[in-house]
Amino acid sequence: MKNIVIFASGAGSNAQKIIDHFRGSDIARVALIVCNKPGAGVLEIAAREGIPTLLIEREAFLHSDVYVQQLKAIPAHLIVLAGFLWKIPANLVQAFPNRIINIHPALLPKFGGKGMYGHFVHEAVISAGEKESGITIHFVNEKYDDGETILQERCTITPEDTPESVARKVQLLEHQWFPVIVERLLKSL
Ligand code: GAR
């Protein structure tokens, strides 16, 4: 049985989809949810699902090994960033080579980088007059939204679309694909 650790600090809809996907699975389970935001929706999901949580503190995350040691102790087989906005420090990237993945709500390398998250992404996509958007699932390295792409899926954008309607299309793709890719990676470990 492999251990998935989800890092999330938002509503947690992707975390929920991954939890649902692996419920009763003999491949993997969500062993821990790591969060940097007290009050985040994902913490309610974890409580309801009986999944342990770890609320992390910025200084320790960026400048110590304490969380790396905790993740190794579990042990975490795959770390899944699902709406986690802090940059992952080098010591964590190096401790879990090709074992940390992220989902981004656009077609990287466009519309990525610091500050590009949630509605900001969809507003930028609409302002740029893009004809399509989508999702990128990628390995995480020391830079924002930069590691090797694992999967991209696309949706079309029409002149009638708004940031909200694009967000809904993109979220459908996220929920459809993220659990599948997590399972595929776990099976290849
Ligand atoms: C997702 O759309 C994810 O792609 C995005 O945060 C949302 C979290 O939603 N991540 C980023 O923008 C990372 N730069 P959720 O909390 O409902 O899963």
Side-chain angles (χ1 to χ4, degrees), residues 10-15 82-83 85 102-105 116-118 145 171 174:
S13 72
N14 281 283
L85 303 181
N102 179 46
I103 192 160
H104 187 77
M116 271 293 176
Y117 62 89
D145 300 329
Q171 192 183 54
E174 293 191 328

Side-chain angles (χ1 to χ4, degrees), residues 8-16 42 45 81-85 102-106 111-113 115-119 121-122 135-136 138 144-145 167 170-171 174-175 178:
S9 292
S13 72
N14 281 283
Q16 182 74 67
V42 70
I45 293 174
L81 312 188
F84 185 77
L85 303 181
N102 179 46
I103 192 160
H104 187 77
F111 309 107
M116 271 293 176
Y117 62 89
H119 66 97
V121 176
H122 308 304
I135 62 169
T136 305
H138 64 94
Y144 270 113
D145 300 329
V170 166
Q171 192 183 54
E174 293 191 328
H175 293 174
F178 209 12

Side-chain angles (χ1 to χ4, degrees), residues 21-90:
H21 184 86
F22 288 97
R23 198 187 306 285
S25 163
D26 51 11
I27 298 167
R29 63 182 179 132
V30 178
L32 179 69
I33 294 184
V34 173
C35 181
N36 64 33
K37 213 166 157 202
V42 70
L43 294 173
E44 281 170 39
I45 293 174
R48 197 168 61 231
E49 297 283 353
I51 296 172
T53 55
L54 174 65
L55 204 52
I56 57 172
E57 190 268 315
R58 193 171 174 86
E59 274 306 298
F61 183 64
L62 293 180
H63 302 299
S64 85
D65 261 347
V66 354
Y67 301 126
V68 172
Q69 297 312 328
Q70 288 187 44
L71 292 165
K72 286 198 153 181
I74 294 174
H77 296 102
L78 190 66
I79 295 174
V80 176
L81 312 188
F84 185 77
L85 303 181
W86 289 356
K87 194 154 82 165
I88 302 299

Side-chain angles (χ1 to χ4, degrees), residues 122-141:
H122 308 304
E123 282 162 12
V125 165
I126 293 280
S127 302
E130 294 290 312
K131 300 280 184 287
E132 61 175 15
S133 190
I135 62 169
T136 305
I137 298 172
H138 64 94
F139 288 111
V140 169
N141 64 15

